[in-house]
C-alpha cells in the first residue's frame, strides 16, 4: 500500500471518527439544552394559563363583592322587591359581565332567587340543583358570620366545572348584619375555554382527572401531577410538545388537568442548528483533508518519492560517485544530505574494500610463495640430508684408518669431513626451520641434567675449542635439579650458543658456561665470551630468522673454525626451542669488542609448557615420557645393537635387507601394514625401514600414523621405493619420513645411513 494511499485512509478515518464523536456529543449536549429551553418555555405557558384562570376567578370575585355589598341587594334579600330583579337581573347584565349563574341566599340558607343563562344562546337555563346543594352542603366553607368573609374558586359538579365566588350580603357600607350570601358562577365550558385560549394565544384543553374518554397523554400527565409534580412537559411528536398543569377546587382537591400544546420551535431550531454544524464540520473536514493531502504530497511525499527514485537509480547504475539532490531546507533535505553522507561513506568503503582485496590477493600470493619456499626448503633439505649422512658415514670410515692415506690426504679428508658436518648442520637447521614454520616441531619430555648438557656440548665442540686455543670454564651449581624437557633440543640450544661463542671469539679467548637455580623452579643457563661483542641495536634482532650482522666477517680470525659465515638461523631456532619449553632467551653485550652473554631461563618442568599458546593449539604437542623410558634407550646414547624394524611385504626384499643389516643390528620384520604399525608402537625400534608400496595402508600412511603417535614420532623412519615411482620422495617428505631411498640399495649406503641416525 502506498504512503499516499495510507495517508489518505488515516486522515479520512481520523476525521470521520472525530466527526461522529463530535456529532454525537454535540447532539447529546446541545439537544439536551434545547429540550430544557423548550420545557422552561412550556412551563411558563402552562403557568400563564393557570394564572388566567385565577384572574378569571378573581374578576368574578370582584364583581360579586360589588353586588353583595350594596344597599339594593341588602334590601332585596329582605323585601324581595321585584323591581330589583327587573332592573338588575337582566340577561344583558349577565352577558355583559360574563356570568352564567347568580344565587341569592338568605341568612337561613334559603334561596331567594336564582338565575342561570346560556350566554351563547341568551336563553335562561335553570341553575343546577347540584350547585345549590354544593353551596348548602359546604355552607361553612362559603362563609362565616364575619362580614368580610368570602370565598372564590372552581368547583366540580356533574354538569362540569364552575368558577364561583360567594360573598356576604351587606349594605353599601359593607356593614351587617349579614342578610345572606350572593353566589356568582361562570361555567368553565368550551366557550370560556376558547375565550381563555384566545387570551393566552394557546390551545387549551381542560379535562377532569377521572374523565373516562380523556386521551391517554392526559391520563398519564394526571397521574404524574397527582404524584406531586406541579407542571408536566412532554413531547407528543417530533412537531408538538404538550404541557400539563393541575387545577384544584375551593377545598384544595385536584379536580382538573389543564393542557396546552405548542409546536416544537426551539427543538426544531436546535435540530437545524445541529445539522448546520454537522454539515459545516463535514465541509471543513473535507477541506482540511484535501489541503493536508495536497500539502503532504507537495512538501513531503513527492520529494520522498524523488529521493527514492534517485537512490534506486544510483543503486542500479552502481555509480559510486553519484549523489541525490533535494531542494529546500527541511527534514527531507536533511534526509537527502544524510543519504549523500551514506553514499560517500559507501564510496569510501568500496575503495577500501577494493584496496583490501588487492592487498589480500598480494598477501595470498606472498603466502603461496612462502609455502612454496618452505616446501622447497623442506624437500631440498630432505633430499640433501640422506646423501650427506652417507658422505659423512664414508668419510668417518675412511678416517677411522681403514685406508692408508698420506698426511696430506688425511688433512684434506679432515677439511672435507668438517665442511660436510657444517653442511649437515645447515641442512638440519633448515629442516628445523620448516618444522617450526609448519608447527611440526614436537618436543620430547625426559628428565634432563643441565650438567650433562654442558658436557655434551663440550665434548661435541672440544676439537674446535682446542684448534682455536679457546678455554672453556663451567660454573654449574651443585645439586642442580633435573629439567623435564627434550634432551636433544636443549643440547642443540647449548651447542648452538657455545658454537656461536667459539665462532665470534678470537683465538685464545675465553668462554664461560654457567647454570644455577633461580627461585624454586627456574634454571638459569648462561654462555659468555670475551669475543667481538654485539652492538645494542642488534641485540633484539639477532634472534630473527636469517639475521646476521654484516660486519661480523671483518672480525674473523681467518682460521677455518672461525668462518663466521652462518645462515642467521641458529639463534632463531634456539629462541623457538626455548620458548616451546616455556622459557626465555636474551643476549647482553656492552658493545663491540666487549664480549657477549646469552641467557636462557627454563622452568624445571619445561616440557609441560609452550611459549606461544596460539601455536600450541595448532599442532605442537609435547611427547609424554614413554612408560618404558625411551630416553634411556635412545640411539644417541646407546652403544649396543640398534633395533631396526623392517616393514616390507616381499620376503625376498626383506632377505636382501637382512643380508646387509644382519649381525650389526637387531632386526625385526613385519610383512603387513597392521603388524608393522603395532610392532613399531609396542617394540619401539630405534630405526624403521618402510616400503612405500605396502598393500592396503600404504607406506606413506603408515609413516604419517607413526609420526603422529606419541610412542613412535621420534623414531627415524627411512622410506624406500622403486626408482620408477612418480614423486615418491615428495610423498615421503610430506608423510614426515626422515630419509628416502630407492632400491636396490648399496650395503654401505644402508649402514652409513643407519649409523648417521645413531648419531
Ligand atoms: P649464524 O649462523 O650467522 O651464527 P645465528 O642466528 O646463530 O646465525 O647468529 C645471528 C648473529 O648473531 C650472528 O650472525 C652474529 O652476528 C651474532 N652473534 C651470535 N652469537 C654471537 C656471539 N657470541 N658474539 C657475537 N655475535 C654473535
Amino acid at each position: 500500500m502506498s504512503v499516499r494511499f495510507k495517508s489518505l485512509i488515516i486522515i479520512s478515518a481520523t476525521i470521520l471518527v472525530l466527526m461522529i464523536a463530535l456529532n454525537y456529543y454535540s447532539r447529546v449536549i446541545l439537544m439536551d439544552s434545547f429540550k430544557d429551553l423548550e420545557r422552561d418555555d412550556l412551563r411558563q405557558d402552562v403557568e400563564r394559563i393557570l394564572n388566567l384562570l385565577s384572574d378569571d376567578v378573581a374578576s368574578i370575585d370582584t364583581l360579586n363583592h360589588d353586588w353583595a355589598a350594596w344597599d339594593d341587594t341588602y334590601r332585596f334579600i329582605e323585601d324581595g322587591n321585584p323591581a330589583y330583579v327587573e332592573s338588575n337581573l337582566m340577561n344583558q347584565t349577565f352577558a355583559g359581565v360574563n356570568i352564567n349563574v347568580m344565587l341569592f341566599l338568605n341568612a337561613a340558607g334559603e334561596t331567594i332567587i336564582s338565575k342561570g343563562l346560556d350566554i351563547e344562546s341568551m336563553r335562561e337555563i335553570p341553575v343546577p340543583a347540584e350547585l345549590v346543594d354544593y353551596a348548602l352542603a359546604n355552607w361553612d366553607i362559603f362563609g362565616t358570620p364575619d362580614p368580610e368573609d368570602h370565598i372564590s374558586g372552581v368547583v366540580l359538579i356533574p354538569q362540569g366545572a364552575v368558577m364561583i365566588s360567594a360573598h356576604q350580603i351587606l349594605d353599601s357600607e359593607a356593614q351587617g348584619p349579614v342578610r345572606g350570601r350572593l353566589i356568582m358562577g361562570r361555567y368553565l365550558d368550551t366557550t370560556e375555554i376558547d375565550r381563555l385560549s384566545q387570551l393566552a394565544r394557546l390551545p387549551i384543553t381542560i379535562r377532569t382527572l377521572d374523565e373516562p374518554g380523556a386521551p391517554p397523554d392526559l391520563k398519564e400527565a394526571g397521574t404524574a401531577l397527582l404524584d406531586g409534580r406541579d407542571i408536566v412537559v412532554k413531547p407528543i411528536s417530533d412537531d408538538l410538545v404538550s404541557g400539563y398543569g393541575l387545577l384544584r377546587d375551593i377545598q384544595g382537591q385536584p379536580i382538573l388537568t389543564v393542557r396546552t400544546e405548542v409546536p416544537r420551535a426551539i427543538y426544531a431550531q436546535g435540530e437545524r442548528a445541529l445539522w448546520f454544524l454537522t454539515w459545516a464540520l463535514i465541509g471543513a473536514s473535507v477541506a482540511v483533508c484535501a489541503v493536508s493531502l495536497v500539502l503532504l504530497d507537495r512538501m513531503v511525499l513527492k520529494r520522498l518519492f524523488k529521493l527514492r527514485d534517485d537512490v534506486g537509480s544510483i543503486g542500479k547504475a552502481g555509480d559510486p560517485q553519484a549523489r541525490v539532490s533535494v531542494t529546500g531546507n527541511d527534514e527531507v533535505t536533511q534526509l537527502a544530505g544524510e543519504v549523500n553522507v551514506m553514499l560517500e561513506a559507501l564510496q569510501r568503503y568500496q575503495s577500501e574494500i577494493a584496496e583490501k582485496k588487492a592487498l589480500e590477493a598480494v598477501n595470498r600470493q606472498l603466502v603461496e610463495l612462502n609455502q612454496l619456499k618452505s616446501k622447497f626448503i623442506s624437500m631440498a633439505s630432505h633430499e640433501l640430508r640422506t646423501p650427506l649422512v652417507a658422505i659423512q658415514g664414508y668419510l668417518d670410515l675412511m678416517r677411522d684408518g681403514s685406508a692408508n692415506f698420506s698426511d696430506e690426504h688425511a688433512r684434506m679428508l679432515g677439511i672435507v669431513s668438517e665442511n660436510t658436518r657444517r653442511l649437515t648442520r645447515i641442512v638440519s637447521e633448515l629442516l628445523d626451520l620448516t618444522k617450526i614454520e609448519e608447527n611440526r616441531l614436537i618436543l620430547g619430555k625426559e628428565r634432563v641434567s643441565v650438567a650433562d648438557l654442558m658436557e655434551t656440548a663440550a665434548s661435541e665442540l672440544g676439537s674446535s675449542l682446542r684448534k682455536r686455543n679457546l678455554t672453556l670454564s663451567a660454573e654449574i651449581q651443585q645439586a642442580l635439579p633435573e629439567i623435564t624437557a627434550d634432551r636433544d633440543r636443549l643440547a642443540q640450544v647449548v651447542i648452538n650458543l657455545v658454537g656461536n661463542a667459539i665462532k665470534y671469539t678470537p683465538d685464545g679467548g675465553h668462554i664461560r658456561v654457567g647454570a644455577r637455580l633461580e627461585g624454586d623452579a627456574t634454571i638459569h643457563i648462561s654462555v659468555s665470551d670475551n669475543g667481538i661483542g654485539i652492538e645494542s641495536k642488534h641485540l633484539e634482532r639477532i634472534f630473527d630468522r636469517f639475521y646476521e650482522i654484516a660486519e661480523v666477517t671483518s672480525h674473523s680470525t681467518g682460521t677455518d673454525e672461525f668462518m663466521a659465515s652462518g645462515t642467521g638461523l641458529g639463534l632463531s631456532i634456539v629462541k623457538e626451542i626455548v620458548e616451546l619449553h616455556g622459557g626465555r632467551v636474551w643476549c647482553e653485550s656492552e658493545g663491540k669488542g666487549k664480549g657477549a652473554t646469552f641467557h636462557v631461563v627454563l622452568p624445571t618442568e619445561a616440557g609441560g609448557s609452550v611459549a606461544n599458546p596460539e601455536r600450541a593449539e595448532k599442532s605442537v604437542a609435547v611427547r609424554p615420557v614413554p612408560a618404558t623410558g625411551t630416553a634411556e634407550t635412545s640411539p644417541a646414547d646407546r652403544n649396543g645393537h640398534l633395533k631396526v624394524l623392517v616393514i616390507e611385504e616381499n620376503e625376498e626384499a626383506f632377505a636382501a635387507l637382512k643380508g646387509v643389516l644382519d649381525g650389526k643390528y637387531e632386526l625385526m620384520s613385519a610383512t603387513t601394514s597392521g603388524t608393522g604399525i603395532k610392532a613399531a608402537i609396542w617394540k619401539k625400534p630405534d630405526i624403521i625401514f618402510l616400503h612405500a608400496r605396502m598393500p592396503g595402508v600404504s607406506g606413506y600412511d603408515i609413516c604419517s600414523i607413526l609420526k603422529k603417535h606419541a610412542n613412535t614420532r621420534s623414531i627415524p623412519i627411512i622410506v624406500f621405493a622403486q626408482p620408477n615411482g612418480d614423486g615418491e620422495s615428495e610423498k615421503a617428505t610430506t608423510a614426515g619420513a626422515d630419509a628416502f631411498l630407492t632400491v636396490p640399495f648399496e650395503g654401505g649406503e644402508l649402514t652409513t645411513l643407519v649409523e648417521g641416525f645413531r648419531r
Side-chain angles (χ1 to χ4, degrees):
M1 199 189 281
S2 71
V3 178
R4 203 175 265 151
F5 190 57
K6 264 191 214 166
S7 316
L8 178 70
I9 287 189
I10 291 170
I11 293 177
S12 315
T14 311
I15 286 176
L16 190 72
V17 170
L18 277 176
M19 287 290 311
I20 292 171
L22 201 68
N23 200 267
Y24 175 76
Y25 286 109
S26 54
R27 190 161 276 276
V28 168
I29 295 164
L30 281 181
M31 288 318 287
D32 272 2
S33 54
F34 279 122
K35 278 180 190 166
D36 285 347
L37 272 180
E38 184 182 71
R39 195 175 299 118
D40 290 347
D41 205 42
L42 205 57
R43 178 182 275 274
Q44 282 176 15
D45 285 345
V46 174
E47 276 171 2
R48 197 147 52 87
I49 292 168
L50 292 175
N51 287 340
L52 272 179
L53 280 166
S54 298
D55 290 350
D56 225 7
V57 171
S59 70
I60 298 168
D61 198 45
T62 309
L63 181 73
N64 194 1
H65 177 260
D66 289 348
W67 278 56
W70 185 26
D71 288 343
D72 287 3
T73 310
Y74 198 66
R75 275 193 300 275
F76 171 69
I77 287 296
E78 279 286 311
D79 60 18
N81 185 5
Y84 178 84
V85 174
E86 275 168 30
S87 58
N88 292 312
L89 300 184
M90 295 174 301
N91 288 355
Q92 285 80 7
T93 310
F94 273 61
V97 292
N98 195 18
I99 288 292
N100 296 103
V101 174
M102 277 200 199
L103 190 60
F104 292 82
L105 301 171
N106 64 16
E110 293 157 350
T111 305
I112 302 302
I113 190 165
S114 66
K115 178 170 175 169
L117 183 75
D118 176 14
I119 295 171
E120 190 86 359
S121 59
M122 289 299 276
R123 276 193 303 110
E124 278 192 38
I125 50 169
V127 173
E130 288 83 353
L131 184 64
V132 179
D133 292 345
Y134 185 89
L136 294 175
N138 296 288
W139 187 251
D140 291 341
I141 311 168
F142 276 103
T144 60
D146 181 357
E148 288 300 312
D149 208 4
H150 68 99
I151 195 165
S152 62
V154 183
V155 296
L156 189 64
I157 57 173
Q159 287 77 8
V162 191
M163 292 178 283
I164 62 161
S165 164
H167 271 260
Q168 315 275 29
I169 296 175
L170 300 169
D171 61 16
S172 296
E173 301 295 321
Q175 297 296 318
V178 175
R179 289 198 179 151
R181 283 173 200 139
L182 176 56
I183 295 169
M184 288 187 183
R186 185 182 296 162
Y187 292 126
L188 198 51
D189 54 9
T190 47
T191 316
E192 181 59 14
I193 291 170
D194 286 348
R195 195 181 67 80
L196 287 173
S197 287
Q198 275 170 13
L199 277 176
R201 295 179 196 278
L202 289 167
I204 298 171
T205 310
I206 297 176
R207 294 289 175 93
T208 55
L209 279 171
D210 50 359
E211 193 177 307
D217 68 299
L218 260 172
K219 283 186 178 171
E220 261 178 52
T223 316
L225 290 166
L226 286 176
D227 277 351
R229 289 173 56 188
D230 57 341
I231 288 171
V232 171
V233 174
K234 209 168 165 222
I236 49 174
S237 71
D238 278 352
D239 303 324
L240 285 174
V241 59
S242 296
Y244 307 85
L246 197 64
L247 207 62
R248 295 174 184 274
D249 69 2
I250 287 176
Q251 290 164 303
Q253 294 302 314
I255 48 168
L256 297 170
T257 312
V258 178
R259 181 181 80 177
T260 186
E261 59 187 25
V262 290
R264 305 187 71 181
I266 295 175
Y267 181 79
Q269 184 64 32
E271 278 277 314
R272 272 198 300 282
L274 209 62
W275 277 116
F276 172 76
L277 184 71
T278 306
W279 284 112
L281 277 174
I282 290 174
S285 308
V286 170
V288 167
C289 188
V291 170
S292 321
L293 280 174
V294 168
L295 287 180
L296 184 73
D297 203 54
R298 283 225 180 126
M299 293 169 69
V300 182
L301 296 179
K302 261 192 190 157
R303 296 164 74 209
L304 273 182
F305 294 154
K306 183 178 175 300
L307 193 61
R308 177 198 63 191
D309 295 344
D310 283 0
V311 171
S313 48
I314 289 173
K316 266 188 210 140
D319 178 4
Q321 278 165 358
R323 298 288 180 268
V324 296
S325 67
V326 171
T327 50
N329 184 21
D330 54 15
E331 287 82 352
V332 180
T333 324
Q334 285 166 8
L335 176 66
E338 291 302 320
V339 170
N340 280 336
V341 170
M342 194 185 71
L343 286 171
E344 260 166 45
L346 275 177
Q347 186 186 1
R348 240 187 351 266
Y349 291 144
Q350 244 180 7
S351 56
E352 275 172 18
I353 286 171
E355 272 172 31
K356 206 173 156 197
K357 273 190 183 157
L359 277 176
E360 274 172 2
V362 171
N363 201 32
R364 260 198 309 279
Q365 278 176 350
L366 284 175
V367 169
E368 276 167 21
L369 278 175
N370 196 38
Q371 281 170 349
L372 219 63
K373 178 209 79 183
S374 296
K375 209 168 169 187
F376 171 75
I377 292 175
S378 170
M379 276 174 54
S381 324
H382 259 279
E383 291 297 325
L384 286 172
R385 199 179 137 116
T386 312
L388 273 174
V389 169
I391 293 169
Q392 188 67 53
Y394 282 116
L395 281 171
D396 287 349
L397 282 176
M398 285 161 84
R399 293 180 73 201
D400 277 353
S402 49
N404 250 345
F405 293 115
S406 66
D407 285 351
E408 183 57 12
H409 281 140
R411 193 185 67 80
M412 280 158 50
L413 264 182
I415 294 171
V416 172
S417 173
E418 200 49 52
N419 279 295
T420 311
R421 251 186 244 289
R422 221 176 128 235
L423 208 53
T424 311
R425 200 173 60 247
I426 291 172
V427 168
S428 297
E429 281 179 350
L430 286 173
L431 267 176
D432 285 346
L433 180 73
T434 52
K435 278 186 187 164
I436 288 166
E437 278 190 347
E438 293 164 16
N439 295 319
R440 286 194 294 110
L441 191 68
I442 297 160
L443 297 184
K445 200 174 178 188
E446 311 153 49
R447 304 298 294 165
V448 181
S449 148
V450 177
D452 285 356
L453 284 181
M454 298 298 190
E455 257 175 48
T456 309
S459 73
E460 183 98 353
L461 299 166
S463 65
S464 300
L465 285 163
R466 280 190 295 281
K467 278 185 200 161
R468 298 282 314 285
N469 197 22
L470 294 166
T471 52
L472 176 74
S473 63
E475 264 178 57
I476 315 260
Q477 190 181 323
Q478 291 288 311
L480 209 54
E482 289 184 328
I483 317 178
T484 305
D486 186 313
R487 182 198 304 272
D488 294 345
R489 290 296 176 191
L490 280 195
Q492 188 179 346
V493 167
V494 177
I495 289 169
N496 201 300
L497 294 179
V498 177
N500 273 353
I502 295 170
K503 267 205 285 186
Y504 301 112
T505 305
D507 293 359
H510 185 64
I511 296 167
R512 271 197 324 274
V513 292
R516 63 175 196 277
L517 186 65
E518 263 182 14
D520 283 346
T522 309
I523 301 277
H524 188 137
I525 298 169
S526 60
V527 177
S528 343
D529 60 57
N530 61 349
I532 61 171
I534 302 169
E535 277 183 278
S536 59
K537 61 179 179 186
H538 297 299
L539 283 176
E540 286 289 322
R541 302 207 54 201
I542 52 174
F543 294 97
D544 293 347
R545 277 175 205 167
F546 302 109
Y547 190 81
E548 288 180 284
I549 302 170
E551 67 267 38
V552 165
T553 43
S554 62
H555 295 275
S556 164
T557 59
T559 68
D560 294 344
E561 295 297 331
F562 188 35
M563 303 283 281
S565 52
T567 54
L569 281 175
L571 284 181
S572 71
I573 293 169
V574 163
K575 186 169 183 257
E576 291 287 346
I577 293 173
V578 170
E579 287 182 351
L580 280 175
H581 278 88
R584 206 158 63 80
V585 58
W586 73 97
C587 174
E588 285 172 356
S589 171
E590 297 197 344
K592 269 189 185 173
K594 303 230 169 125
T597 302
F598 284 81
H599 300 271
V600 174
V601 286
L602 287 167
T604 47
E605 289 302 316
S609 59
V610 286
N612 183 348
E614 204 180 286
R615 198 169 48 192
E617 269 168 31
K618 288 182 198 159
S619 67
V620 176
V622 175
R623 184 171 53 131
V625 180
T628 50
T630 310
E632 280 73 30
T633 57
S634 70
D637 289 354
R638 283 187 345 176
N639 291 320
H641 278 313
L642 288 184
K643 280 196 273 180
V644 176
L645 170 66
V646 180
I647 306 174
E648 164 61 279
E649 179 211 22
N650 187 315
E651 280 182 19
E652 283 170 22
F654 176 67
L657 265 171
K658 198 174 172 198
V660 181
L661 302 174
D662 209 13
K664 297 186 191 120
Y665 309 107
E666 192 183 320
L667 273 188
M668 297 181 282
S669 77
T671 52
T672 64
S673 306
T675 51
I677 292 168
K678 280 184 208 158
I681 292 169
W682 292 336
K683 304 275 182 194
K684 292 190 208 102
D686 296 310
I687 289 181
I688 299 170
F689 275 87
L690 172 61
H691 194 163
R693 300 273 159 202
M694 289 296 286
V697 182
S698 77
Y700 302 118
D701 292 337
I702 297 172
C703 185
S704 338
I705 292 166
L706 295 181
K707 281 294 174 191
K708 278 175 199 145
H709 196 280
N711 282 11
T712 51
R713 63 166 67 105
S714 62
I715 301 174
I717 300 178
I718 299 159
V719 175
F720 57 93
Q722 302 299 326
N724 51 0
D726 191 17
E728 303 281 0
S729 158
E730 201 178 313
K731 283 188 205 160
T733 308
T734 314
D738 295 81
F740 177 77
L741 291 176
T742 48
V743 288
F745 350 84
E746 293 167 24
E749 184 183 28
L750 276 186
T751 44
T752 44
L753 199 56
V754 172
E755 286 307 313
F757 280 118
R758 183 203 282 273
R759 264 186 292 272

